[in-house]
Amino acid sequence: MFIPELGAVFRCHPDFRLFAAQNPVGEGGGRKGLPRSFLNRFTRVTVELLRRSDLLFIAGTLHPRVPAPLLTRMVDLLDAMQAAAAPQAGGGGGSGVEPAAGTVVAADTAGEGEEEGGATGRRLAAAAGVRDFALAGGPWEFNLRDLLRWCDLVEGAVPPPPATAAATTAAAATAAATAGAAAGATAMETEGAEEAESAVAAAEAAALDAAAQHFARMLFAHRLRTGADRAKLAKLFAAVWSAGGGASQAPGDRKALAAHGPSCWTEEPPVLLSPTTAVVGRAIIKRAAQPSPGGLSPTVASGGGAPQLQLLPWSLPLLESLVQALGRGWMALLVGGPGSGKTSLARGAAALAGVGLLEVALTAGTDTSDLLGSFEQLEPERRVQEVRRGRVRGGVGEKESGGG
């Protein structure tokens, strides 16, 4: 197989097969359709959206520490947001385009799953009284990628409990029972060990629930463009967490939860700096050992020539989300009007990390290849011809100048 952009030939196994994936052309903006002559080379298979049970199974398998009740609430919130934003998204996950001739359509098992998740989302959205959600900046889609990132953040924020004395006691009690020790003493020891383990599990579940509430602001509230949409998200969150009985929710707090979201959404995260680490709330990022020009050096005393780092209270939650994304290698897109503080936020994050910030001005004519680069077809023969022409021209020039 010859790749023109690389100018290289690859020898493939006799059983080599090429698979390609493409989202429907009707979804999203600016997506270009492929030529029919190219598509006809493939056997096309249309795959429907994942079902609710699929989301629970995948996330539960990859993140076993997240309790099942918490994972169910997380999926419920995704369903509620998707249902509330469904009118803007076209009322479903389909592309609205009939499959072309020769297309193999996967078994229509998504209808049941879509009804399963869609019914739950519509019920929660109706209970919260939310509709026309996330109209600005759409179309939106809340999917498996959001769920896995959410679970990843939650597990990373709560370290697993260490091997405690309760586990040791339980193991000893089990061994004693197997060996035929005193039944009464063994039962008491086992009961005490189980109570201790239950207390540890409950504390871990409460910590994971609090982390899920905290990171919902980063993944969803900060993604929305308007205050009205963020207020609707708070209502959806209150409906989901109240129905599911969130571990950290106190009785009588539903009105405050629906008005402002969880209490952690209104808190200003603290900022802590050390020579090696920068901490903003729950976000942690390593600092450069040798700060680049423009980076904030931890060894320079205040007022001693270091660049001033101006952090305003309103920007701290956004800075936490930005630092969290940078620390995990996720791409971050800052959206806002002129003078809203986008550049200052990026400069502040770079200064905290002790690295320089490369600023590139973009225009309407800027193409993605200008930022990401692209492959160009390599023709070695043309390079050889250019070198030969250069030598000939150089030799002729020298001969003419010598003859003069």
Side-chain angles (χ1 to χ4, degrees), residues 19-103:
F19 292 86
Q22 182 190 31
N23 292 334
V25 180
E27 292 185 3
R31 182 173 287 117
K32 299 179 180 179
L34 297 175
R36 185 176 296 274
S37 59
F38 178 78
L39 293 176
N40 289 339
R41 298 175 181 268
F42 292 85
T43 299
R44 282 177 284 176
V45 178
T46 301
V47 181
E48 300 295 338
L49 294 176
L50 293 175
R51 298 175 294 175
R52 175 186 175 84
S53 57
D54 296 331
L55 298 179
L56 292 172
F57 176 78
I58 295 173
T61 303
L62 296 178
H63 300 278
R65 288 186 56 218
V66 179
L70 175 58
L71 186 59
T72 300
R73 287 194 294 274
M74 296 165 72
V75 175
D76 285 344
L77 183 61
L78 294 179
D79 287 340
M81 290 189 295
Q82 190 66 35
Q88 173 68 11
S95 62
V97 180
E98 293 293 333
T103 301

Side-chain angles (χ1 to χ4, degrees), residues 228-298:
D229 285 335
R230 287 187 285 272
K232 292 179 180 179
L233 174 62
K235 293 182 179 180
L236 292 174
F237 191 94
V240 172
W241 248 248
S242 298
S248 60
Q249 180 185 348
D253 288 347
R254 180 172 181 177
K255 184 179 294 185
L257 188 65
H260 308 289
S263 59
C264 58
W265 288 15
T266 58
E267 297 174 354
E268 296 177 2
V271 179
L272 304 175
L273 293 178
S274 73
T276 59
T277 308
V279 179
V280 185
R282 290 177 179 261
I284 303 175
I285 189 172
K286 294 183 179 180
R287 309 190 65 197
Q290 298 294 332
S292 304
L296 185 63
S297 173

Side-chain angles (χ1 to χ4, degrees), residues 97-235:
V97 180
E98 293 293 333
T103 301
V104 179
V105 181
D108 190 12
T109 58
E112 180 182 354
E114 182 181 355
E115 179 64 25
E116 175 191 357
T120 302
R122 288 191 295 270
R123 175 178 56 81
L124 292 170
V130 174
R131 57 179 299 179
D132 298 334
F133 173 66
L135 294 179
W140 299 94
E141 183 180 353
F142 306 98
N143 51 26
L144 178 63
R145 182 185 296 108
D146 297 315
L147 180 61
L148 294 182
R149 285 187 172 183
W150 200 359
C151 292
D152 188 27
L153 290 169
V154 169
E155 281 191 340
V158 181
T164 60
T168 304
T169 304
T174 303
T178 304
T186 302
M188 294 177 59
E189 291 177 358
T190 303
E191 183 178 357
E194 291 178 352
E195 291 179 356
E197 288 182 350
S198 299
V200 172
E204 183 184 15
L208 292 171
D209 188 275
Q213 297 187 35
H214 178 85
F215 290 116
R217 175 173 64 170
M218 168 190 171
L219 293 175
F220 308 118
H222 287 171
R223 190 193 305 185
L224 301 175
R225 305 293 176 85
T226 64
D229 285 335
R230 287 187 285 272
K232 292 179 180 179
L233 174 62
K235 293 182 179 180

